[in-house]
Amino acid sequence: MFMKRNRSMILAFVVPSTLLFLATFIYPIIRTIIMSFFSIQEITDSMGKWHFNGIKNYIDLLGNGLYRQSWVNLFKIFFIGGIITLGISLIMAVVLKSGIHGKGFFQAAIYLPNVISAVAMATMWIQYVFNSSYGLFTNLFRALHLDFLANIQWLDAGHKFWALLLSYCFGMIGHFMLIWVSGIERISPDYYEAASIDGASKVEQFLFITFPLLKGILRTNIIMWSISVSGFFIWSKLFSPISADTTTVVPMIYMYDKLFGAENVDKISRDAGSAAAIGVMLCLFIVIIFTLVNRCIKDDDLEF
Amino acid sequence: MKKTWKQFGSAALCGVMAAALLAGCGGAASSGATGAASGSSTVSTADTAPAGSGEFAGTKLVYWSNWEATEPQGVVITAAVEEFMQETGAVVDLQFKGRKGIKEGLIPALDADQQVDLFDGMSNKSNYGERIVSLEDVVAAADYEKDTNPVLMELARSYYEDGKLHEIPYQMKANAYLYNKGLFEKAGITKAPDTWQDFLDACQKLKDAGITPLTTDDAYAMQAFGMHLARMIGSDEVKKVVDEGQWDRPEVLATAKAFEELASKGYFSTQVGSNVWPTGQNTEFAIGNVAMYCVGTYVVNETKNITGPDFQWGFFGYPQVEGGINDQKAMVIGMQSFAVTNKCANPTAAFALIEKLTRGKWDAKLAEDTLGIPADVNNTEWPDQLAEAKPFMDNCNEIFATSGGLENNPNITPALKENLMKLYAGSCTADEFVTNMLAAAKG
């Protein structure tokens, strides 16, 4: 009898939220996938105005040099930025958990860029760090008499991508560091104590205890990084305001211009169908990363 | 019986919770729609309207503006709308949506049958299709057209296939070289350049006086090159170059050579290659380190807090080039504009408000407070900073597209911008520029 009553209670609570979930998440996803196979001008056009064109949106996009470049940039951010961000954040987490003084301060200081608006952060980097006449890097390297570094124009075509990547990673390190810290805190100090008694160095302890026991966190961090990178937009927009730039364009920027139309042209063209196709490809990117990471990194072989 | 009541009570409670949740969502959605999600602000002009018995008593207009309430344009428009309401008895719901709010939100709002009667924003609203209405009749009825620069009315009509007027110009701009007259005087230059040779001479005199002649920013890199090329082949042919990939035309190479020469002679700022807008505009030109910047007249307003009152503004049309097919009477002119939507039940009232903002004292006030160009030709007093732009605009007989048409292909603009910045910085030659653009056009 209790089971029966519980079942109706469970249904009463679950059904509304399930319906809302279907309406607000599943329906837009399915609609976006369908839209990607149609020629649609405005996102709000009724279905009567849609024209089926099969996979033409996908073919046109993949045949476009700028769109392909946007994916090249995205993969560079994902791989190179991922190694920098996850690597440095892991090192910082390990150092912070090694018992140094002022741990709370450093933890807060490293996380601080995450609470500052991305717009303010990007403006700071562009206007006050990378500026080639009075910027921090220019003045610092000049003071150190490192003229070859002081003369680098950080925001010219040859360096702009790296400047963007550096500033983005700087802001993201604190976020991932906290996740690593939470993983390290789960590891019992007994392992380290036993390893120390057996004569293991700090580096050996990291390589043979900490890192293997953080595999689950590594998996989470890679998936979260792929989600952050696939939505990469505001930094790119601020590093090349008004119109896109080959060195900083990413799929989201291309999608925005497709959806809302580029200005300063005779005929403003808005293409919601192609924008939907870009959305689908970005979604696939995350799904593929998710699948690969789950296949390659398994953490169920260790119990602690 | 007891069990049934309990079950009923549970179900009712869940129902109320679900209803409350849905009501919450509904409320949020509707307020989002009227409040315009993306950072808009609404000025409470509608609340202060008098219950007057004027010409449009009982009429309510919803006006979406692409300015921010705190911008000079927003402040003047708010005051003008208040006066309009006092005089006509109309109620105007003025909502400041910002540029993004209009670009991203207006078409979805209109398609969702939201009431928006009129709006302003960048010119060329042809992508709104049937969502905006022809204004030919109301313009003719008000005998409005005679007081606007005819070239601009022609431009406004040119955006539409039916050749009819769907938008009313205001906040005009002219693009060419803005310059620092103080630095010109210091270099002994007494007359603004008319021809390319004059321009080169002026650059050399500035350089000899220890002044950097030129700078730009990535966002505006296309302007000078595009106007130069348009001088040689005309704006329509420039569009063909970018749309059809005709980068191997000799005029493209000649234009690239002209800029290669400017770079090789050291006329550009040494940091031009790394200027991300607004770095060059603000930290080189506006503070008086560089003499010339090729851009629109709106830069005067944008930099007024940096330049201060002592900056001596000058303007000259893009110089005539040897072998070119047009002169300084052909130039880039643009504007903001008003449009009336097909949701508007009283286009006459909407147009009356547009007329209020683009004629007489409020047009003059807009020009004065925004350091802009008046829409009403009877407002002959232009801000001092733009005095030199007036004869060029008055004499204009051919309008170039933005950047002479060089930005007409969004797929090629990023590669173009990158290679132009390299050309200006001297890190790529004219031949390399052409090769790179041919490669970019092939995709």
PDB file of all heavy atoms in Angstrom, chain B residues 14 18 111 131 236 238 271 274 282 377:
ATOM      1  N   CYS B  14       0.523  19.175  -5.626  1.00  0.00           N
ATOM      2  CA  CYS B  14       1.430  19.093  -6.778  1.00  0.00           C
ATOM      3  C   CYS B  14       0.954  19.988  -7.908  1.00  0.00           C
ATOM      4  O   CYS B  14       1.744  20.648  -8.581  1.00  0.00           O
ATOM      5  CB  CYS B  14       1.515  17.652  -7.277  1.00  0.00           C
ATOM      6  SG  CYS B  14       2.355  16.603  -6.114  1.00  0.00           S
ATOM      7  N   ALA B  18       3.012  22.923  -9.648  1.00  0.00           N
ATOM      8  CA  ALA B  18       3.295  22.960 -11.082  1.00  0.00           C
ATOM      9  C   ALA B  18       2.761  24.237 -11.716  1.00  0.00           C
ATOM     10  O   ALA B  18       3.419  24.883 -12.534  1.00  0.00           O
ATOM     11  CB  ALA B  18       2.682  21.748 -11.767  1.00  0.00           C
ATOM     12  N   ASP B 111       7.866  39.262 -35.080  1.00  0.00           N
ATOM     13  CA  ASP B 111       7.279  37.986 -35.521  1.00  0.00           C
ATOM     14  C   ASP B 111       6.395  37.375 -34.440  1.00  0.00           C
ATOM     15  O   ASP B 111       5.526  36.558 -34.745  1.00  0.00           O
ATOM     16  CB  ASP B 111       8.381  37.006 -35.924  1.00  0.00           C
ATOM     17  CG  ASP B 111       9.023  37.392 -37.260  1.00  0.00           C
ATOM     18  OD1 ASP B 111       8.501  38.318 -37.917  1.00  0.00           O
ATOM     19  OD2 ASP B 111      10.032  36.782 -37.635  1.00  0.00           O
ATOM     20  N   ARG B 131       8.113  43.688 -42.712  1.00  0.00           N
ATOM     21  CA  ARG B 131       7.883  44.103 -41.317  1.00  0.00           C
ATOM     22  C   ARG B 131       7.919  45.622 -41.184  1.00  0.00           C
ATOM     23  O   ARG B 131       7.500  46.166 -40.169  1.00  0.00           O
ATOM     24  CB  ARG B 131       8.938  43.474 -40.402  1.00  0.00           C
ATOM     25  CG  ARG B 131       8.894  41.961 -40.365  1.00  0.00           C
ATOM     26  CD  ARG B 131      10.011  41.393 -39.504  1.00  0.00           C
ATOM     27  NE  ARG B 131      10.076  39.943 -39.587  1.00  0.00           N
ATOM     28  CZ  ARG B 131      10.779  39.271 -40.491  1.00  0.00           C
ATOM     29  NH1 ARG B 131      11.495  39.929 -41.394  1.00  0.00           N
ATOM     30  NH2 ARG B 131      10.784  37.959 -40.494  1.00  0.00           N
ATOM     31  N   ASP B 236      31.034  50.165 -57.249  1.00  0.00           N
ATOM     32  CA  ASP B 236      30.421  48.920 -57.751  1.00  0.00           C
ATOM     33  C   ASP B 236      31.479  47.913 -58.168  1.00  0.00           C
ATOM     34  O   ASP B 236      31.325  46.705 -57.957  1.00  0.00           O
ATOM     35  CB  ASP B 236      29.492  49.219 -58.941  1.00  0.00           C
ATOM     36  CG  ASP B 236      28.247  49.960 -58.500  1.00  0.00           C
ATOM     37  OD1 ASP B 236      27.918  49.885 -57.287  1.00  0.00           O
ATOM     38  OD2 ASP B 236      27.601  50.622 -59.341  1.00  0.00           O
ATOM     39  N   VAL B 238      34.505  47.776 -56.924  1.00  0.00           N
ATOM     40  CA  VAL B 238      35.169  47.289 -55.701  1.00  0.00           C
ATOM     41  C   VAL B 238      34.390  46.095 -55.142  1.00  0.00           C
ATOM     42  O   VAL B 238      34.964  45.083 -54.728  1.00  0.00           O
ATOM     43  CB  VAL B 238      35.277  48.417 -54.637  1.00  0.00           C
ATOM     44  CG1 VAL B 238      35.837  47.855 -53.330  1.00  0.00           C
ATOM     45  CG2 VAL B 238      36.163  49.543 -55.132  1.00  0.00           C
ATOM     46  N   GLN B 271      53.131  51.128 -34.246  1.00  0.00           N
ATOM     47  CA  GLN B 271      52.331  50.073 -33.610  1.00  0.00           C
ATOM     48  C   GLN B 271      51.045  49.774 -34.371  1.00  0.00           C
ATOM     49  O   GLN B 271      50.171  49.071 -33.866  1.00  0.00           O
ATOM     50  CB  GLN B 271      52.021  50.436 -32.162  1.00  0.00           C
ATOM     51  CG  GLN B 271      51.067  51.618 -31.971  1.00  0.00           C
ATOM     52  CD  GLN B 271      50.679  51.794 -30.505  1.00  0.00           C
ATOM     53  OE1 GLN B 271      51.535  52.094 -29.676  1.00  0.00           O
ATOM     54  NE2 GLN B 271      49.414  51.598 -30.192  1.00  0.00           N
ATOM     55  N   SER B 274      49.337  46.269 -34.577  1.00  0.00           N
ATOM     56  CA  SER B 274      48.735  45.619 -33.410  1.00  0.00           C
ATOM     57  C   SER B 274      47.570  46.432 -32.834  1.00  0.00           C
ATOM     58  O   SER B 274      47.132  46.161 -31.718  1.00  0.00           O
ATOM     59  CB  SER B 274      49.795  45.406 -32.329  1.00  0.00           C
ATOM     60  OG  SER B 274      50.268  46.655 -31.871  1.00  0.00           O
ATOM     61  N   ASN B 282      41.982  56.012 -29.895  1.00  0.00           N
ATOM     62  CA  ASN B 282      42.032  56.701 -28.604  1.00  0.00           C
ATOM     63  C   ASN B 282      43.448  57.042 -28.153  1.00  0.00           C
ATOM     64  O   ASN B 282      43.686  58.147 -27.665  1.00  0.00           O
ATOM     65  CB  ASN B 282      41.370  55.834 -27.526  1.00  0.00           C
ATOM     66  CG  ASN B 282      39.864  55.747 -27.703  1.00  0.00           C
ATOM     67  OD1 ASN B 282      39.296  56.425 -28.556  1.00  0.00           O
ATOM     68  ND2 ASN B 282      39.226  54.910 -26.932  1.00  0.00           N
ATOM     69  N   VAL B 377      18.232  70.300 -43.477  1.00  0.00           N
ATOM     70  CA  VAL B 377      19.161  71.186 -44.203  1.00  0.00           C
ATOM     71  C   VAL B 377      19.039  72.640 -43.753  1.00  0.00           C
ATOM     72  O   VAL B 377      19.931  73.449 -43.996  1.00  0.00           O
ATOM     73  CB  VAL B 377      18.956  71.099 -45.734  1.00  0.00           C
ATOM     74  CG1 VAL B 377      19.371  69.748 -46.261  1.00  0.00           C
ATOM     75  CG2 VAL B 377      17.525  71.427 -46.131  1.00  0.00           C
TER      76      VAL B 377
END
